[in-house]
Coordinates of all heavy atoms in Angstrom, one line a residue:
H716 N 89.3 96.5 103.6 CA 89.7 95.7 104.7 C 88.6 95.3 105.6 O 88.4 94.1 106.1 CB 90.8 96.4 105.4 CG 91.5 95.6 106.5 ND1 92.6 94.8 106.2 CD2 91.3 95.6 107.8 CE1 93.0 94.3 107.3 NE2 92.2 94.7 108.3
E717 N 87.8 96.3 106.0 CA 86.7 96.2 106.9 C 85.6 95.2 106.3 O 84.9 94.5 107.1 CB 86.0 97.5 107.3 CG 87.0 98.3 108.2 CD 86.5 99.8 108.4 OE1 85.6 100.2 107.8 OE2 87.0 100.4 109.4
E718 N 85.4 95.3 105.0 CA 84.4 94.5 104.3 C 84.9 93.1 103.8 O 84.2 92.4 103.2 CB 83.8 95.2 103.1 CG 83.0 96.5 103.6 CD 82.5 97.3 102.4 OE1 82.8 97.0 101.3 OE2 82.0 98.3 102.7
N719 N 86.2 92.7 104.3 CA 86.8 91.5 103.9 C 86.8 91.3 102.3 O 86.8 90.1 101.9 CB 86.1 90.3 104.6 CG 86.4 90.2 106.0 OD1 87.4 90.7 106.5 ND2 85.4 89.9 106.8
I720 N 87.0 92.3 101.6 CA 87.2 92.2 100.2 C 88.7 92.0 99.9 O 89.1 91.2 99.1 CB 86.7 93.4 99.5 CG1 85.2 93.5 99.6 CG2 87.1 93.5 98.0 CD1 84.6 94.8 99.2
A721 N 89.5 92.7 100.7 CA 91.0 92.6 100.6 C 91.6 93.0 101.9 O 91.0 93.8 102.7 CB 91.5 93.6 99.5
T722 N 92.6 92.3 102.4 CA 93.2 92.6 103.6 C 94.5 93.3 103.3 O 95.4 92.9 102.6 CB 93.5 91.3 104.4 OG1 92.3 90.6 104.7 CG2 94.2 91.5 105.7
T723 N 94.7 94.5 104.0 CA 95.9 95.3 103.8 C 96.6 95.4 105.1 O 96.1 95.6 106.2 CB 95.4 96.7 103.4 OG1 94.8 96.6 102.1 CG2 96.6 97.6 103.3
Y724 N 97.9 95.1 105.0 CA 98.9 95.3 106.1 C 99.8 96.5 105.8 O 100.1 96.7 104.7 CB 99.8 94.0 106.2 CG 98.9 92.8 106.6 CD1 98.4 92.0 105.7 CD2 98.7 92.5 107.9 CE1 97.7 90.8 106.0 CE2 97.9 91.4 108.3 CZ 97.5 90.5 107.3 OH 96.7 89.4 107.7
V725 N 100.0 97.2 106.8 CA 100.8 98.4 106.6 C 102.1 98.4 107.3 O 102.3 97.8 108.4 CB 100.0 99.7 107.0 CG1 98.9 100.0 106.1 CG2 99.5 99.6 108.4
L726 N 103.1 99.2 106.8 CA 104.4 99.4 107.4 C 104.3 100.7 108.1 O 104.1 101.8 107.4 CB 105.4 99.4 106.4 CG 106.9 99.5 106.8 CD1 107.3 98.3 107.6 CD2 107.8 99.7 105.5
V727 N 104.2 100.8 109.4 CA 104.0 102.0 110.1 C 105.0 102.3 111.2 O 105.6 101.4 111.7 CB 102.6 102.0 110.7 CG1 101.5 102.0 109.7 CG2 102.4 100.9 111.7
S728 N 105.1 103.6 111.6 CA 105.9 104.0 112.7 C 105.2 103.6 114.0 O 104.0 103.6 114.0 CB 106.2 105.5 112.6 OG 105.0 106.2 112.6
R729 N 105.9 103.5 115.0 CA 105.3 103.2 116.3 C 104.9 104.5 117.0 O 105.8 105.1 117.7 CB 106.3 102.4 117.3 CG 106.6 101.1 116.8 CD 107.7 100.5 117.8 NE 108.3 99.3 117.2 CZ 108.0 98.0 117.5 NH1 107.0 97.9 118.4 NH2 108.6 97.1 116.9
S730 N 103.7 104.9 116.8 CA 103.2 106.2 117.4 C 101.7 106.1 117.5 O 101.0 105.1 117.0 CB 103.6 107.4 116.6 OG 102.9 107.4 115.4
D731 N 101.1 107.1 118.2 CA 99.7 107.0 118.4 C 98.9 107.2 117.1 O 97.8 106.7 116.9 CB 99.2 108.1 119.5 CG 99.7 107.7 120.8 OD1 100.0 106.5 121.1 OD2 99.9 108.7 121.7
R732 N 99.4 108.1 116.3 CA 98.8 108.3 114.9 C 99.9 108.1 113.9 O 100.5 109.0 113.4 CB 98.3 109.8 114.8 CG 97.1 110.0 115.8 CD 96.0 110.8 115.2 NE 96.1 111.3 113.8 CZ 95.2 111.0 112.9 NH1 94.2 110.3 113.2 NH2 95.3 111.5 111.8
P733 N 100.1 106.8 113.6 CA 101.2 106.5 112.7 C 101.1 106.8 111.3 O 100.0 106.8 110.7 CB 101.3 104.9 112.9 CG 99.9 104.5 113.3 CD 99.4 105.6 114.0
D734 N 102.2 107.2 110.7 CA 102.3 107.4 109.2 C 102.5 106.1 108.6 O 103.2 105.2 109.1 CB 103.4 108.4 108.9 CG 103.2 109.8 109.3 OD1 102.1 110.3 109.1 OD2 104.1 110.4 109.9
V735 N 101.9 105.9 107.4 CA 102.1 104.7 106.6 C 103.2 104.9 105.7 O 103.3 105.8 104.9 CB 100.8 104.3 105.9 CG1 101.0 103.1 105.0 CG2 99.7 104.0 106.9
Y736 N 104.3 103.9 105.8 CA 105.4 104.0 104.9 C 105.4 102.8 103.9 O 106.3 102.8 103.0 CB 106.6 103.9 105.8 CG 106.9 105.1 106.6 CD1 106.3 105.2 107.9 CD2 107.5 106.2 106.1 CE1 106.5 106.4 108.6 CE2 107.7 107.3 106.8 CZ 107.2 107.4 108.1 OH 107.3 108.6 108.8
G737 N 104.4 102.0 103.9 CA 104.4 100.9 102.9 C 103.1 100.1 103.2 O 102.5 100.2 104.3
Y738 N 102.7 99.4 102.2 CA 101.5 98.4 102.5 C 101.6 97.3 101.4 O 102.2 97.4 100.4 CB 100.2 99.2 102.4 CG 99.7 99.6 101.0 CD1 98.8 98.8 100.3 CD2 100.2 100.7 100.3 CE1 98.3 99.1 99.1 CE2 99.7 101.1 99.0 CZ 98.7 100.2 98.4 OH 98.3 100.6 97.2
I739 N 100.9 96.2 101.9 CA 100.7 95.0 101.0 C 99.3 94.6 101.2 O 98.7 94.7 102.3 CB 101.7 93.9 101.4 CG1 101.7 92.9 100.3 CG2 101.4 93.4 102.8 CD1 102.9 91.9 100.4
T740 N 98.6 94.4 100.1 CA 97.2 93.9 100.1 C 97.0 92.5 99.6 O 97.6 92.2 98.5 CB 96.3 94.9 99.3 OG1 96.5 96.2 99.8 CG2 94.8 94.5 99.3
L741 N 96.3 91.7 100.3 CA 96.2 90.3 99.9 C 94.7 90.0 99.6 O 93.8 90.5 100.3 CB 96.6 89.4 101.1 CG 98.1 89.6 101.6 CD1 98.4 88.7 102.8 CD2 99.0 89.4 100.5
V742 N 94.5 89.1 98.6 CA 93.1 88.7 98.2 C 93.1 87.2 97.8 O 94.2 86.7 97.5 CB 92.5 89.5 97.1 CG1 92.4 91.0 97.4 CG2 93.4 89.4 95.8
S743 N 92.0 86.6 98.0 CA 91.9 85.2 97.5 C 92.1 85.2 96.0 O 91.6 86.1 95.3 CB 90.5 84.6 97.8 OG 90.3 84.6 99.1
S744 N 92.7 84.1 95.4 CA 92.9 84.1 94.0 C 93.1 82.6 93.6 O 92.9 81.7 94.3 CB 94.1 85.0 93.6 OG 94.2 85.1 92.3
E745 N 93.6 82.5 92.3 CA 93.9 81.2 91.8 C 94.8 81.4 90.6 O 94.9 82.5 90.0 CB 92.6 80.5 91.3 CG 91.9 81.3 90.3 CD 90.4 80.8 90.0 OE1 90.0 80.0 90.8 OE2 89.8 81.3 89.0
I746 N 95.5 80.3 90.2 CA 96.2 80.3 89.0 C 95.4 79.5 88.0 O 95.0 78.4 88.2 CB 97.6 79.6 89.1 CG1 98.5 80.4 90.1 CG2 98.2 79.4 87.8 CD1 99.8 79.7 90.3
R747 N 95.1 80.1 86.8 CA 94.3 79.4 85.8 C 95.3 78.6 84.9 O 96.1 79.2 84.3 CB 93.5 80.5 84.9 CG 92.5 81.2 85.7 CD 91.7 82.1 84.8 NE 90.7 82.9 85.5 CZ 89.6 82.4 85.9 NH1 89.2 81.2 85.6 NH2 88.7 83.2 86.6
T748 N 95.0 77.3 84.9 CA 95.9 76.5 84.1 C 95.1 76.1 82.8 O 95.7 75.6 81.9 CB 96.3 75.2 84.8 OG1 95.1 74.4 85.1 CG2 97.1 75.5 86.1
N749 N 93.8 76.1 82.9 CA 92.9 75.7 81.7 C 93.2 74.3 81.3 O 93.2 74.0 80.2 CB 93.1 76.7 80.6 CG 92.6 78.1 81.0 OD1 91.7 78.2 81.8 ND2 93.3 79.1 80.5
G750 N 93.7 73.5 82.3 CA 93.9 72.1 81.9 C 95.3 71.8 81.3 O 95.6 70.7 81.0
D751 N 96.1 72.9 81.0 CA 97.3 72.7 80.5 C 98.3 72.4 81.6 O 98.2 73.0 82.7 CB 97.8 74.0 79.8 CG 97.0 74.4 78.6 OD1 96.4 73.4 78.0 OD2 96.8 75.6 78.3
A752 N 99.4 71.6 81.3 CA 100.4 71.3 82.4 C 101.5 72.4 82.3 O 102.6 72.0 82.2 CB 100.9 69.9 82.1
Q753 N 101.1 73.6 82.6 CA 102.1 74.6 82.7 C 102.9 74.7 84.0 O 104.0 75.1 84.0 CB 101.4 76.0 82.6 CG 100.6 76.2 81.3 CD 99.6 77.4 81.5 OE1 99.3 77.8 82.6 NE2 99.0 77.7 80.3
L754 N 102.4 74.1 85.0 CA 103.1 73.9 86.3 C 103.5 72.5 86.4 O 103.0 71.6 87.1 CB 102.1 74.3 87.4 CG 101.6 75.7 87.3 CD1 100.4 75.8 88.3 CD2 102.7 76.7 87.7
T755 N 104.6 72.2 85.7 CA 105.1 70.8 85.6 C 105.5 70.2 86.8 O 105.6 69.0 86.9 CB 106.2 70.7 84.5 OG1 107.3 71.7 84.9 CG2 105.8 71.1 83.1
E756 N 105.9 71.0 87.8 CA 106.4 70.5 89.1 C 105.2 70.0 90.0 O 105.5 69.4 91.0 CB 107.2 71.5 89.8 CG 106.4 72.7 90.4 CD 106.2 73.9 89.4 OE1 106.4 73.7 88.3 OE2 105.9 75.0 89.9
I757 N 104.0 70.2 89.5 CA 102.8 69.8 90.3 C 102.2 68.6 89.6 O 101.7 68.7 88.5 CB 101.8 70.9 90.4 CG1 102.4 72.1 91.1 CG2 100.6 70.5 91.1 CD1 101.6 73.3 91.1
E758 N 102.2 67.4 90.3 CA 101.6 66.2 89.8 C 100.2 66.5 89.5 O 99.4 67.1 90.3 CB 101.8 65.1 90.8 CG 103.0 64.4 90.7 CD 103.1 63.2 91.7 OE1 102.1 62.4 91.6 OE2 104.0 63.0 92.5
Q759 N 99.7 66.0 88.4 CA 98.3 66.0 88.0 C 97.8 67.5 87.8 O 96.6 67.7 87.9 CB 97.5 65.2 88.9 CG 97.9 63.8 89.0 CD 97.2 63.0 90.0 OE1 96.4 63.4 90.8 NE2 97.6 61.7 90.2
A760 N 98.6 68.5 87.6 CA 98.1 69.8 87.4 C 97.2 69.9 86.2 O 96.3 70.8 86.2 CB 99.3 70.8 87.3
D761 N 97.4 69.1 85.3 CA 96.6 69.2 84.1 C 95.2 68.7 84.3 O 94.3 68.8 83.4 CB 97.2 68.4 83.0 CG 97.5 66.9 83.3 OD1 97.5 66.5 84.5 OD2 97.8 66.1 82.4
R762 N 94.8 68.1 85.5 CA 93.5 67.8 85.8 C 92.6 68.9 86.3 O 91.4 68.8 86.3 CB 93.5 66.7 87.0 CG 94.0 65.4 86.7 CD 93.8 64.5 87.9 NE 94.2 63.2 87.5 CZ 93.9 62.1 88.3 NH1 93.3 62.3 89.5 NH2 94.3 60.9 87.9
Y763 N 93.2 70.0 86.5 CA 92.5 71.1 87.1 C 92.6 72.4 86.2 O 93.6 72.6 85.6 CB 93.0 71.5 88.5 CG 92.9 70.4 89.4 CD1 94.1 69.6 89.6 CD2 91.7 70.0 90.1 CE1 94.0 68.5 90.5 CE2 91.7 68.9 90.9 CZ 92.9 68.2 91.1 OH 92.8 67.1 92.0
D764 N 91.5 73.1 86.1 CA 91.5 74.4 85.3 C 92.1 75.5 86.2 O 92.5 76.5 85.6 CB 90.1 74.7 84.8 CG 89.5 73.8 83.8 OD1 90.4 73.2 83.1 OD2 88.3 73.7 83.7
T765 N 92.0 75.4 87.5 CA 92.5 76.4 88.4 C 93.2 75.7 89.6 O 92.8 74.6 89.9 CB 91.4 77.4 88.9 OG1 90.5 76.6 89.6 CG2 90.8 78.1 87.8
L766 N 94.1 76.4 90.2 CA 94.8 75.9 91.4 C 94.7 77.1 92.4 O 95.0 78.3 92.0 CB 96.2 75.5 91.1 CG 96.3 74.3 90.2 CD1 97.8 74.1 89.8 CD2 95.8 73.1 90.9
P767 N 94.5 76.8 93.7 CA 94.2 77.9 94.7 C 95.4 78.6 95.2 O 96.5 78.0 95.4 CB 93.5 77.1 95.8 CG 94.1 75.7 95.7 CD 94.3 75.5 94.3
G768 N 95.2 79.9 95.5 CA 96.3 80.7 96.1 C 95.7 81.9 96.7 O 94.6 82.3 96.7
V769 N 96.7 82.7 97.2 CA 96.4 84.1 97.7 C 97.3 85.0 96.9 O 98.4 84.8 96.7 CB 96.7 84.2 99.3 CG1 96.6 85.7 99.7 CG2 95.8 83.3 100.1
K770 N 96.7 86.1 96.5 CA 97.3 87.0 95.6 C 97.8 88.2 96.4 O 97.1 88.8 97.2 CB 96.4 87.5 94.5 CG 97.1 88.5 93.5 CD 96.1 89.0 92.5 CE 95.9 88.0 91.4 NZ 95.1 88.4 90.3
I771 N 99.0 88.7 96.1 CA 99.5 90.0 96.5 C 98.9 91.0 95.5 O 99.3 91.0 94.3 CB 101.0 90.1 96.5 CG1 101.5 89.1 97.6 CG2 101.4 91.5 96.8 CD1 103.1 89.0 97.6
A772 N 97.8 91.6 95.8 CA 97.1 92.5 94.9 C 97.8 93.9 94.7 O 97.7 94.4 93.7 CB 95.7 92.7 95.4
R773 N 98.4 94.3 95.8 CA 99.2 95.6 95.8 C 100.4 95.5 96.7 O 100.2 94.9 97.8 CB 98.2 96.7 96.1 CG 97.2 97.0 95.1 CD 96.1 98.0 95.6 NE 95.0 98.0 94.7 CZ 94.0 97.1 94.7 NH1 94.0 96.1 95.5 NH2 93.1 97.3 93.8
L774 N 101.4 96.2 96.3 CA 102.6 96.3 97.2 C 103.2 97.6 96.9 O 103.5 97.9 95.7 CB 103.6 95.2 96.9 CG 105.0 95.3 97.7 CD1 104.8 95.3 99.2 CD2 105.9 94.2 97.2
A775 N 103.4 98.5 97.9 CA 104.0 99.8 97.7 C 104.8 100.3 98.9 O 104.3 100.0 100.0 CB 102.9 100.8 97.3
I776 N 105.9 100.9 98.6 CA 106.7 101.4 99.7 C 106.9 102.9 99.4 O 107.2 103.3 98.3 CB 108.1 100.7 99.7 CG1 108.0 99.2 99.8 CG2 109.0 101.3 100.8 CD1 107.3 98.7 101.1
H777 N 106.7 103.7 100.5 CA 106.9 105.2 100.4 C 108.3 105.5 99.8 O 109.3 104.8 100.1 CB 106.8 105.8 101.8 CG 106.7 107.3 101.8 ND1 107.9 108.0 101.6 CD2 105.7 108.1 101.9 CE1 107.6 109.3 101.7 NE2 106.2 109.4 101.8
K778 N 108.3 106.6 99.0 CA 109.5 107.0 98.3 C 110.7 107.1 99.2 O 111.9 106.8 98.8 CB 109.3 108.2 97.4 CG 109.0 109.4 98.2 CD 108.9 110.6 97.3 CE 108.7 111.9 98.2 NZ 108.6 113.1 97.5
D779 N 110.5 107.6 100.4 CA 111.6 107.8 101.4 C 112.1 106.5 101.9 O 113.2 106.5 102.6 CB 111.2 108.7 102.5 CG 110.9 110.1 102.1 OD1 111.3 110.5 100.9 OD2 110.2 110.9 102.8
C780 N 111.4 105.4 101.8 CA 111.8 104.1 102.4 C 112.2 103.1 101.3 O 112.6 102.0 101.7 CB 110.7 103.5 103.3 SG 110.4 104.5 104.7
Q781 N 112.1 103.5 100.1 CA 112.4 102.5 99.0 C 113.9 102.3 99.0 O 114.7 103.1 99.3 CB 112.0 103.1 97.6 CG 110.5 103.2 97.5 CD 110.0 103.9 96.2 OE1 110.8 104.2 95.3 NE2 108.7 104.1 96.1
G782 N 114.3 101.1 98.7 CA 115.6 100.7 98.6 C 116.2 100.2 99.9 O 117.4 99.9 100.1
N783 N 115.4 100.1 100.9 CA 115.8 99.7 102.3 C 115.4 98.3 102.6 O 115.5 97.8 103.8 CB 115.3 100.6 103.4 CG 116.0 102.0 103.3 OD1 117.1 102.1 103.0 ND2 115.2 103.0 103.4
G784 N 114.9 97.5 101.7 CA 114.5 96.1 101.9 C 113.1 95.9 102.4 O 112.8 94.8 102.7
Y785 N 112.3 97.0 102.6 CA 111.0 96.8 103.2 C 110.0 96.1 102.2 O 109.1 95.4 102.7 CB 110.4 98.2 103.5 CG 111.1 98.8 104.7 CD1 111.8 100.0 104.5 CD2 111.1 98.2 105.9 CE1 112.5 100.6 105.7 CE2 111.8 98.7 107.0 CZ 112.5 99.9 106.9 OH 113.1 100.5 108.0

Side-chain angles (χ1 to χ4, degrees):
H716 189 87
E717 289 173 347
E718 294 176 359
N719 290 326
I720 295 168
T722 299
T723 297
Y724 295 92
V725 290
L726 182 67
V727 293
S728 56
R729 295 177 192 260
S730 69
D731 293 337
R732 293 226 355 128
D734 290 314
V735 173
Y736 290 92
Y738 77 96
I739 191 166
T740 300
L741 306 176
V742 298
S743 296
S744 191
E745 62 193 10
I746 294 179
R747 293 187 185 277
T748 65
N749 299 324
D751 297 333
Q753 299 162 348
L754 299 166
T755 56
E756 71 273 16
I757 299 172
E758 274 186 51
Q759 303 173 1
D761 57 345
R762 288 186 173 191
Y763 304 98
D764 289 335
T765 61
L766 295 168
V769 172
K770 181 184 284 187
I771 296 174
R773 290 168 191 84
L774 171 63
I776 305 297
H777 188 282
K778 67 179 181 175
D779 292 345
C780 295
Q781 292 173 8
N783 292 320
Y785 290 116

